[in-house]
Amino acid sequence: ADYSSVYTMTNQPMNEILVYSRNTCNGTLTFETAVATNGTGSILSGSNGDGIDLPRPVDDPLASTGSIITAADCLLAVNAGSNDISTFHIVSPTVIQLVDTYSSDGDFPVSLAEREGMLDLSLLCTCSCSHVHVPNSPIACVRVLYYPIGLVYVLNAGGNGSMQGFHLTLETCELTPIEQDPIVLDQGSVTPSNPAFFPASPAQIGFTPEGNIVVTIKVNGGGQNFPSGEGSLNVYSINPENGTTTNEFLTQTNVTGATGSSVPFSFDFDDKGNLLLVEA
């Protein structure tokens, strides 16, 4: 039988990545190993606004999508309790090695997104063999000695909510923070003391087919406005030269839940570039 791999995360105080092999013929999963992230997991909490604690979410403790992702031979995971990101090198489908942990530059990271396509031109060299054309480059032909650089953004759900960008070296799975301050989402201090933390916290970060950032906001303004029935899709244009963005490049589209109390949650794009949005 042919086998692929499945990765999941415990989100426990000693956070771990669980690795399974998957029989592609019948879908059977077989546990292979657990690898520590060197970070701490956590669970969102909140109250109903009258000082009564809400039960902690069991089925989705981060109330998000994209807490663990893969990019080429790299795996990235959030550590919500220690406010950092762990990166791993995928040595083989069932063997991963921890590379390092990196600060998320915010509180309670819950979602990650990666976009490929940036090149470190300093690693290119001219030659007379193994040619490849680089569009819009003064170097007409080069030997393929470059390393692709991915663009990674992390979504932090704590405090006012924020996001921070990194360059991901796909050769080594190392992250380098891009030169910008974290982008604040102005979610009205979404903290456990602010009512309805997990029902109102930002849910997912991702990239559009054009390479811009999308963030789903469950409740505009955060927990103090829950339940309002209105969230938003926040789209941030990305500087193509360095991967940065600011709130000046934000286009916000308000979304009213179909039931009046549902909120925008997770999303994806189909092959035609249409946005598919799931409400919770």
Side-chain angles (χ1 to χ4, degrees), residues 80-168:
S82 50
N83 300 328
D84 51 33
I85 306 162
S86 297
T87 66
F88 298 82
H89 178 224
I90 303 174
V91 180
S92 69
T94 57
V95 176
I96 62 173
Q97 293 179 343
L98 177 67
V99 174
D100 210 342
T101 59
Y102 304 86
S103 171
S104 70
D105 275 343
D107 297 328
F108 217 96
V110 296
S111 182
L112 293 159
E114 187 268 347
R115 185 197 75 183
E116 297 183 23
M118 301 180 67
L119 303 179
D120 186 348
L121 295 177
S122 66
L123 297 178
L124 299 176
C125 64
T126 57
C127 67
S128 59
C129 60
S130 302
H131 296 74
V132 60
H133 178 63
V134 181
N136 302 320
S137 170
I139 305 174
C141 63
V142 293
R143 182 176 300 175
V144 185
L145 293 179
Y146 60 84
Y147 298 114
I149 303 295
L151 179 63
V152 170
Y153 266 81
V154 59
L155 174 64
N156 297 296
N160 281 307
S162 66
M163 60 185 187
Q164 177 61 33
F166 302 82
H167 293 311
L168 172 65

Side-chain angles (χ1 to χ4, degrees), residues 246-266:
T246 70
N247 279 315
E248 295 178 359
F249 301 131
L250 166 64
T251 301
Q252 185 177 65
T253 302
N254 292 332
V255 177
T256 300
T259 65
S261 60
S262 58
V263 293
F265 188 72
S266 61

Side-chain angles (χ1 to χ4, degrees), residues 11-15 37-42 78-84 86 109:
N11 195 42
Q12 294 299 303
M14 295 182 62
N15 201 9
T37 67
N38 280 5
T40 304
S42 189
V78 299
N79 298 301
S82 50
N83 300 328
D84 51 33
S86 297

Side-chain angles (χ1 to χ4, degrees), residues 57-75:
V58 176
D59 54 347
D60 187 2
L62 298 180
S64 70
T65 298
S67 58
I68 176 172
I69 64 171
T70 59
D73 292 330
C74 304
L75 183 146

